[in-house]
């Protein structure tokens, strides 16, 4: 089972996920946002760097969940990110229709 704690940046998702995992005797899975090499550039110019940032987050999240699929299926994992939010951010940040379409196809 996958339990997801979701909220805004800096809201305390990681703290809650850690505490919930400890309380339930589960393992916590934390978003590896620091692995996204495009994030600093995105903060400097979000329009110019949205595509590579959003695609990278989707692939990072997919990889993190894929690596833990056995735990999700056979045990319990508490995550501080929700891959569905990638689609939300892509719809907000990808202004070009074609890029949004490609992102949605990859997401699905």
């Amino acid at each position: 089972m996958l339990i997801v704690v979701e909220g805004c940046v800096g809201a305390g998702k990681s703290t809650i996920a850690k505490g919930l995992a400890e309380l339930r005797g589960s393992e916590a899975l934390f978003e590896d946002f620091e692995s996204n090499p495009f994030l600093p550039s995105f903060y400097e110019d979000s329009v110019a760097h949205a595509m590579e940032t959003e695609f990278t987050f989707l692939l990072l999240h997919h990889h993190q969940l894929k690596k833990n699929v056995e735990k999700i299926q056979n045990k319990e994992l508490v995550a501080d990110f929700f891959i569905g939010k990638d689609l939300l951010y892509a719809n907000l940040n990808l202004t070009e229709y074609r890029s949004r379409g490609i992102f949605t196809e990859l997401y699905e």
Side-chain angles (χ1 to χ4, degrees), residues 5-6 8 13 17 21 24-26 31 41 44-46 48 50 52 65-66 70 77 79-80 85 87-88 100 105:
V5 177
E6 192 49 78
C8 300
K13 297 180 298 292
R24 296 180 60 88
S26 304
E31 178 181 36
S41 297
E44 289 176 17
D45 186 349
S46 61
E52 58 265 36
L65 293 171
K66 185 178 175 183
E70 187 175 312
L77 195 62
D80 70 347
K85 193 168 164 182
L87 192 56
L88 173 70
R100 255 196 333 262
E105 286 179 24

Side-chain angles (χ1 to χ4, degrees), residues 5-83:
V5 177
E6 192 49 78
C8 300
V9 174
K13 297 180 298 292
S14 299
T15 302
I16 292 171
K18 180 182 176 192
L20 184 60
E22 288 174 5
L23 180 71
R24 296 180 60 88
S26 304
E27 190 173 327
L29 177 63
F30 302 106
E31 178 181 36
D32 188 16
F33 64 90
E34 294 169 339
S35 290
N36 190 330
F38 304 107
L39 194 55
S41 297
F42 176 80
Y43 284 129
E44 289 176 17
D45 186 349
S46 61
V47 174
H49 302 285
M51 188 173 72
E52 58 265 36
T53 304
E54 298 304 338
F55 275 83
T56 301
F57 269 127
L58 178 61
L59 294 172
L60 285 170
H61 292 152
H62 172 76
H63 181 69
Q64 281 187 273
L65 293 171
K66 185 178 175 183
K67 274 179 53 176
N68 288 281
V69 73
E70 187 175 312
K71 291 175 191 167
I72 293 168
Q73 291 175 341
N74 301 318
K75 298 178 184 175
E76 186 176 273
L77 195 62
V78 180
D80 70 347
F81 66 92
F82 175 52
I83 197 166

